[in-house]
């Protein structure tokens, strides 16, 4: 097996400790269980010290931005502030590294550094679901996907929320060393090497900002009746308007159609019930699905995992069950 080369992880004042630790854990630890070359790992400071990380830590580094010229892979942990300017010398170093063939991996909000470099223009990317709309608005030339755990563009890899950085890094290990090796690294982390579903399973129902009073009242009315069959005609009757007017007002207030909002609300209700209710048919009926099978179908399509998998992860006994299934 060929040498996977040098991985350089960026460090800066205000470092995101968890994301930084992911890179060190996967690429920086010795792997005596393998009889082939493992990654070499170094830490590059993007600015003079002292450097402090979240949690009150201070740390030393192996060098500065000059290390990026030697790296086969560069890891950008979550950026210290999405609104903080990215130093131009860092952007130039990233562009130069990419041009010579280095891979760059961003974890969570680290994608804002990549986006600022222009390297993601006309490509697909992701980040934590809370930041996807902001990323898309600031960089409309990027195709932002809020539903996935990571995006692989070949030499540019972006992960979603913090823990999804593990998924992205294990994916890179699988690319370099094979899936069997990635599986063993995942086992050492006590983590499934390939998690099912995307980050849609973690996204809460969208918050509605300052809706019209009549539409707000309608939403409360709908929330209390999610278990009932509901139609656009009933909603229009509730507001005493035409269906056309209802559709227009509803979209202005929520950004989606009544049907789309109902589906999201029912899936959210099902999420809540699945944490403590074992009977799938009861969950389906209480959240407004015609059958357990229709609930399963909607859950797989829009949440990205089955209701059973969601229950194992987020139910009252989810922690114990989740570790068992990961192994």
């Amino acid at each position: 097996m060929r040498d996977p080369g040098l991985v350089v992880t960026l460090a800066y004042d205000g470092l995101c400790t968890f994301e930084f630790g992911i890179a060190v854990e996967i690429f920086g630890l010795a792997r005596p269980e393998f009889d082939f070359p493992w990654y070499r790992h170094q830490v590059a400071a993007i600015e003079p010290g002292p450097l402090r990380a979240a949690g009150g830590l201070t740390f030393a580094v192996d060098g500065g931005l000059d290390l990026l010229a030697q790296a086969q892979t560069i890891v950008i942990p979550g950026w210290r502030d999405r609104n903080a300017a990215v130093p131009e010398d860092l952007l130039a170093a990233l562009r130069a590294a990419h041009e010579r063939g280095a891979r760059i991996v961003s974890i969570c909000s680290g994608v804002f550094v990549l986006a600022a470099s222009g390297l993601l223009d006309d490509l697909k990317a992701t980040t934590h679901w809370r930041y996807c709309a902001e990323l898309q608005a600031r960089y409309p030339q990027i195709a932002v996907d809020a539903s996935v755990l990571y995006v692989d563009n070949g030499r540019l890899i972006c992960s979603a929320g913090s823990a999804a950085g593990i998924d992205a890094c294990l994916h890179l290990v699988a690319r370099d060393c094979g899936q069997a090796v990635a599986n063993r690294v995942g086992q050492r982390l006590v983590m499934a090497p390939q998690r099912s579903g995307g980050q849609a399973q973690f996204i809460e129902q969208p918050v509605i900002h300052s809706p019209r009073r009549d539409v707000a009242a309608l939403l409360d009315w709908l929330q209390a009746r999610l278990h009932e069959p509901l139609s656009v005609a009933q909603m229009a009757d509730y507001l005493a308007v035409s269906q056309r007017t209802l559709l227009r007002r509803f979209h202005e207030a929520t950004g989606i159609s009544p049907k789309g909002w109902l589906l999201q609300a029912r899936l959210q209700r099902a999420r809540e019930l699945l944490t403590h209710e074992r009977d799938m048919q009861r969950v389906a009926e209480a959240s407004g699905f015609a059958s357990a099978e229709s609930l399963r179908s909607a859950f797989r399509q829009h949440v990205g995992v089955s209701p059973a998998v969601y229950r194992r992860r987020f139910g009252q006994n989810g922690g114990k069950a989740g570790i068992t299934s990961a192994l």
Side-chain angles (χ1 to χ4, degrees), residues 37 70 147 205 265 287 305:
Q70 309 167 37
S147 67
Q205 184 178 337
S287 52
V305 295

Side-chain angles (χ1 to χ4, degrees), residues 5-300:
L6 174 65
V7 176
V8 172
T9 300
L10 301 184
Y12 47 83
D13 194 45
L15 183 67
C16 297
T17 310
F18 180 66
E19 290 92 330
F20 177 79
I22 290 171
V24 174
E25 178 75 22
I26 293 180
F27 302 115
L29 295 188
R31 301 283 173 178
E33 64 268 35
F34 298 139
D35 60 357
F36 48 82
W38 193 244
Y39 300 90
R40 291 172 288 118
H41 181 263
Q42 292 186 315
V43 178
I46 71 166
E47 58 200 347
L51 301 180
R52 296 156 297 182
L57 304 176
T58 58
F59 56 95
V61 297
D62 299 298
L65 289 177
D66 56 303
L67 289 176
L68 274 61
Q70 309 167 37
Q72 182 167 322
T73 304
I74 298 165
V75 180
I76 308 174
W79 189 228
R80 57 188 161 205
D81 185 333
R82 301 186 309 283
N83 297 312
V86 182
E88 186 54 46
D89 55 349
L90 170 59
L91 297 177
L94 290 172
R95 295 185 194 110
H98 181 263
E99 185 174 354
R100 67 170 176 79
R103 292 97 54 94
I104 305 176
V105 181
S106 69
I107 300 177
C108 195
S109 59
V111 74
F112 284 88
V113 176
L114 261 186
S117 75
L119 294 174
L120 287 174
D121 288 1
D122 301 318
L123 295 176
K124 185 177 174 182
T126 194
T127 185
H128 192 290
W129 58 265
R130 294 177 61 190
Y131 309 145
C132 281
E134 178 183 347
L135 180 66
Q136 187 66 86
R138 288 173 57 180
Y139 301 97
Q141 64 273 37
I142 299 173
V144 179
D145 188 342
S147 67
V148 295
L149 290 172
Y150 58 84
V151 171
D152 183 351
N153 288 301
R155 288 189 290 116
L156 297 172
I157 299 175
C158 310
S159 89
S162 301
I166 303 176
D167 298 277
C169 291
L170 286 178
H171 170 72
L172 186 59
V173 171
R175 273 181 42 179
D176 289 343
C177 307
Q179 190 62 55
V181 173
N183 289 351
R184 292 186 65 184
V185 175
Q187 287 175 338
R188 182 165 164 176
L189 289 166
V190 197
M191 174 179 171
Q194 184 64 53
R195 288 198 288 172
S196 57
Q199 61 173 336
Q201 61 192 295
F202 305 101
I203 300 175
E204 298 173 353
Q205 184 178 337
V207 175
I208 299 164
H209 300 284
S210 302
R212 294 171 53 106
R213 288 186 179 180
D214 54 352
V215 176
L218 171 62
L219 298 181
D220 290 340
W221 185 81
L222 293 172
Q223 281 282 6
R225 292 165 177 80
L226 291 178
H227 59 287
E228 301 176 5
L230 295 167
S231 67
V232 171
Q234 288 175 287
M235 299 181 206
D237 288 345
Y238 179 83
L239 292 185
V241 297
S242 68
Q243 292 187 38
R244 183 175 180 179
T245 299
L246 176 279
L247 292 172
R248 175 176 55 79
R249 290 185 184 177
F250 201 98
H251 191 274
E252 287 173 353
T254 68
I256 57 176
S257 68
K259 182 179 178 180
W261 188 92
L262 272 176
L263 177 59
Q264 290 187 5
R266 284 171 167 155
L267 287 170
Q268 180 63 19
R269 175 69 56 79
R271 285 183 175 102
E272 295 166 359
L273 293 171
L274 284 167
T275 62
H276 57 82
E277 174 59 64
R278 303 297 300 176
D279 189 308
M280 197 69 70
Q281 184 60 39
R282 289 182 182 175
V283 173
E285 292 174 356
S287 52
F289 291 92
S291 66
E293 187 49 47
S294 64
L295 168 61
R296 292 187 184 97
S297 177
F299 226 83
R300 291 191 187 99

